[in-house]
Amino acid sequence: RDRAIQLFGEVVRRAPDHPDAYATLSEVFEARSDEGDLEKALQLALVAAHLQTEDPEGWRRVAILALDSNDDSTAKDALDRVLRMDPSDCAALGDLAQLLGRMGKHAEAADRCDSFLSQRDDVTPEVTSLYLVLAEHCSQSERYDEAKKALKRALDDAQRLVSNGDVDARETKERAAVELARLKLRENDIDGARQLLGEASANEPLDVSVLRGCCDRDASKWAPLIPHLRRVSTEIGAGNEASCRAHERLAVLVECCSSCAGDDQEDVVRALLDGAARCAAARGSLKRPDAALWRRKESDAHASLSNRFL
C-alpha cells in the first residue's frame, strides 16, 4: 500500500487535474488503518469530486467518508449535491434524513422527505421505506397527524408490493403497522392498535409483544422481556453490529415500558433499568456515528424509568 501511495502520488504530481488518480489514492488511504488515514481519504475524495463536479458517484463517496469521519457538515453538503444532480435518489435522501435526525433537525428531515415523496407517485420498495423515515421524523417533531398519514401510505403501498410477489416488503408492512399501532396507543385508541397488531405469534418481535401487553394491560405479555435483556447483555460484547442492534431493540423496549408500564411491574422495570445501564455504558466503546445520540436516548429512558417507578 505504501508503494501504491508513492505511485499514485507521482501520478497526481504529473497530472494534477486528473480526478481518477485522487479517487484511487483516496481508496488506498481508506483501506489503511493508520491514524489520520480516513481524513486523508476524505480530503482526496473531495479533490476528485470537485474535479468532476457533475459526477454524483464522486459526491456519494465523499458523503460516505464524511459520515464515517463524523464530519456532518461535509456529509450534508455532499448529499445535497447528489440530490441536486439526481433528485430521484432514494438512498441519498434516506442518508440525509438520518444525518439531519442525528443533528437534531427532525423537522427539516421530515420536510425534505415530504417534499421528495410529494413528487413520487410510484410504488417501489425504496419509496415505500421512505414513508417510514418520514413518519419517524414527523413523530420526533411531534407532527403526529403527518406521521400517521405517512404510515398509512407505507402500509398500503407495502401491501400492494406483497400482493405483487415482493416478499421483502412484508417487513416494511409489519413495521408500518407496529409504528401506527404505537401512535394509536398514544391516543388511547386501544381497539385501533389491537387491530393493527393482529393475532399474536410465538416468534413476533419483542417490541410488538410489549405493545400488545400495553393494549391488553396484561403484564404477563411482557414475560419475555427479562430473558431478552439477558441476551442483550451477552450480545454487547459480540461485535459492533450485534451490539448496535441490541441497543436499538432495548431502546424501543425502554420507550414502550416508560410510557405504558404499570406500577406493579417492578421486576420488569428493574430488568429494563439494568439493561439500559449496561447498554449506556457499553455504547461509549462503539465506533458508530450516532453513538452519542443513542447514549443520550438510553440515558433519558433510564432516568425517566427511575423517576417513575423506583
Side-chain angles (χ1 to χ4, degrees):
R1 287 174 181 167
D2 290 340
R3 178 60 176 162
I5 289 173
Q6 292 177 356
L7 289 173
F8 282 104
E10 182 62 27
V11 173
V12 166
R13 281 190 289 274
R14 296 189 180 196
D17 295 332
H18 200 294
D20 289 346
Y22 291 99
T24 304
L25 193 54
S26 170
E27 292 173 5
V28 173
F29 273 107
E30 184 187 10
R32 298 202 330 172
S33 57
D34 294 344
E35 184 177 352
D37 281 346
L38 188 59
E39 183 179 351
K40 292 175 184 175
L42 173 58
Q43 294 305 316
L44 288 162
L46 272 167
V47 174
H50 278 293
L51 289 172
Q52 286 184 307
T53 56
E54 300 305 314
D55 176 24
E57 291 304 320
W59 288 108
R60 284 191 184 96
R61 176 165 166 73
V62 169
I64 292 170
L65 290 170
L67 288 170
D68 288 344
S69 303
N70 292 326
D71 188 342
D72 292 348
S73 177
T74 299
K76 184 177 182 302
D77 176 68
L79 290 168
D80 280 332
R81 288 173 182 267
V82 172
L83 286 166
R84 282 197 294 271
M85 286 181 270
D86 184 3
S88 65
D89 191 326
C90 292
L93 181 71
D95 288 342
L96 179 60
Q98 182 182 29
L99 173 60
L100 290 170
R102 196 172 79 201
M103 297 166 69
K105 299 179 179 181
H106 293 288
E108 183 178 348
D111 290 341
R112 293 293 295 266
C113 288
D114 186 50
S115 175
F116 181 93
L117 290 168
S118 67
Q119 302 175 49
R120 302 288 295 262
D121 57 4
D122 51 331
V123 178
T124 67
E126 295 78 16
V127 171
T128 302
S129 295
L130 281 177
Y131 280 103
L132 292 178
V133 177
L134 170 59
E136 175 190 354
H137 293 290
C138 284
S139 292
Q140 291 287 346
S141 306
E142 300 184 353
R143 292 154 54 173
Y144 298 114
D145 288 341
E146 294 175 64
K148 286 190 295 183
K149 181 180 177 182
L151 288 169
K152 288 174 182 175
R153 175 65 184 267
L155 195 58
D156 291 343
D157 287 359
Q159 178 58 55
R160 289 176 61 185
L161 291 169
V162 170
S163 299
N164 291 332
D166 187 344
V167 294
D168 292 336
R170 192 181 303 277
E171 183 177 348
T172 301
K173 176 188 171 186
E174 292 171 354
R175 182 47 45 189
V178 169
E179 295 305 321
L180 190 53
R182 196 189 306 280
L183 291 179
K184 293 279 188 181
L185 189 61
R186 180 183 173 277
E187 298 173 342
N188 208 31
D189 182 358
I190 305 299
D191 290 338
R194 278 201 192 104
Q195 184 177 0
L196 285 161
L197 292 175
E199 295 295 324
S201 68
N203 298 320
E204 69 185 7
L206 215 39
D207 59 329
V208 178
S209 296
V210 173
L211 283 174
R212 199 181 301 284
C214 294
C215 289
D216 296 343
R217 300 293 192 263
D218 182 358
S220 66
K221 298 287 179 70
W222 297 355
L225 280 173
I226 294 177
H228 171 72
L229 285 168
R230 291 182 182 136
R231 287 198 301 275
V232 167
S233 66
T234 62
E235 288 181 17
I236 285 174
N240 283 6
E241 287 304 314
S243 300
C244 290
R245 287 195 298 272
H247 282 73
E248 289 163 9
R249 288 200 303 272
L250 180 66
V252 171
L253 296 175
V254 172
E255 179 186 3
C256 291
C257 291
S258 174
S259 59
C260 304
D263 291 336
D264 56 339
Q265 276 76 51
E266 184 173 337
D267 288 342
V268 171
V269 171
R270 286 187 182 277
L272 282 168
L273 282 167
D274 179 64
R278 288 172 182 270
C279 286
R283 175 67 68 173
S285 65
L286 300 181
K287 293 182 180 180
R288 176 167 163 159
D290 58 354
L293 173 65
W294 279 105
R295 278 202 303 275
R296 188 166 64 251
K297 283 187 175 182
E298 288 158 2
S299 176
D300 291 345
H302 191 175
S304 66
L305 283 167
S306 299
N307 291 336
R308 181 170 177 182
F309 294 107
L310 300 182

